[in-house]
Amino acid sequence: MADEVRKLAERSGRSTKEIAELVSGIQSKTRDAVEQMGKSMMIVSESADINRQVGKSLQEIKANVMEVDRNAREISAATQEQSAGSSHIARVTGNLREVTREISSATEEQASAAEQIVKTMERMRTMVHRNASGTAELAASAEQMRGQADRFLEIVKQFQLDDAGTRADDDGPSPRPDVTCTTRFLRTRS
């Protein structure tokens, strides 16, 4: 029996030793687990900080995108205004070109009328030298010439431009110079 008690005591000692080793292992593992939990908590805390920074960065990005969108809308509006201004300038340029053509045409007609007036005056001078008795007729012709010259001046005034580049009397289409009166006068004198 002593043998059995001794064996039992040895087994009990071994078991106690094994239990002590198990408890020591469990304590070591528990310390490792607690240490790992501390590290995990630090990682979670750092992740939360990173998430907050990411959220803040996303808010800043959103604000920047909204500002870029606002700037794009302003640029679009300015481009539309500029386009409208360019169209207006093109229309004004077209109008100015048309007025220039009209002035050029009227100038050619006026030059022709002036040439006819000069020729008529030459004829009148010749007639004055030939006929001293035709003074009354010449005076009447001179009066008619003066009327034509006044008409010529009136025609020229119709094409004067103001500072804005439009005709000063822009009340509608301007009358063409009456060249037929000069032509009729020349035919009666020939």
Side-chain angles (χ1 to χ4, degrees):
M1 198 157 181
D3 231 8
E4 282 182 22
V5 171
R6 191 175 49 83
K7 284 184 186 179
L8 186 61
E10 283 177 11
R11 272 192 297 184
S12 238
R14 274 191 305 235
S15 290
T16 303
K17 188 177 179 185
E18 286 175 6
I19 289 172
E21 286 175 2
L22 281 172
V23 168
S24 176
I26 289 172
Q27 285 176 342
S28 175
K29 296 285 181 188
T30 302
R31 276 192 298 272
D32 289 344
V34 168
E35 188 178 313
Q36 289 299 323
M37 285 176 70
K39 288 179 182 177
S40 294
M41 287 182 66
M42 285 178 59
I43 290 171
V44 167
S45 176
E46 288 174 3
S47 295
D49 288 342
I50 290 171
N51 284 338
R52 277 191 292 277
Q53 290 174 356
V54 167
K56 184 178 177 184
S57 296
L58 287 174
Q59 289 297 325
E60 289 174 2
I61 290 170
K62 180 182 175 184
N64 288 337
V65 166
M66 290 174 69
E67 184 175 348
V68 166
D69 180 58
R70 183 180 52 82
N71 289 339
R73 289 175 195 268
E74 288 176 3
I75 289 170
S76 174
T79 302
Q80 288 175 353
E81 287 178 20
Q82 187 177 15
S83 175
S86 296
S87 296
H88 178 69
I89 289 171
R91 281 192 306 275
V92 168
T93 302
N95 292 344
L96 185 59
R97 195 172 328 146
E98 185 59 32
V99 168
T100 303
R101 277 193 212 121
E102 288 177 16
I103 290 172
S104 175
S105 174
T107 302
E108 289 173 8
E109 291 175 8
Q110 291 167 4
S112 175
E115 189 177 325
Q116 289 178 1
I117 290 171
V118 168
K119 287 178 183 177
T120 302
M121 291 181 78
E122 282 295 319
R123 285 186 197 151
M124 283 176 51
R125 189 171 58 89
T126 304
M127 288 171 62
V128 166
H129 289 294
R130 284 192 207 157
N131 266 327
S133 64
T135 308
E137 284 184 30
L138 287 175
S141 294
E143 184 62 30
Q144 208 172 19
M145 291 292 290
R146 192 177 61 123
Q148 287 179 353
D150 289 344
R151 175 82 175 123
F152 182 77
L153 287 174
E154 286 300 316
I155 291 170
V156 169
K157 285 181 186 177
Q158 290 177 0
F159 292 98
Q160 289 180 340
L161 300 179
D162 62 11
D163 292 340
T166 59
R167 290 194 313 220
D169 65 334
D170 197 13
D171 294 332
S174 58
R176 296 193 167 261
D178 188 5
V179 180
T180 58
C181 181
T182 304
T183 308
R184 214 178 301 126
F185 171 76
L186 292 175
R187 284 188 193 142
T188 59
R189 295 284 161 225
S190 298

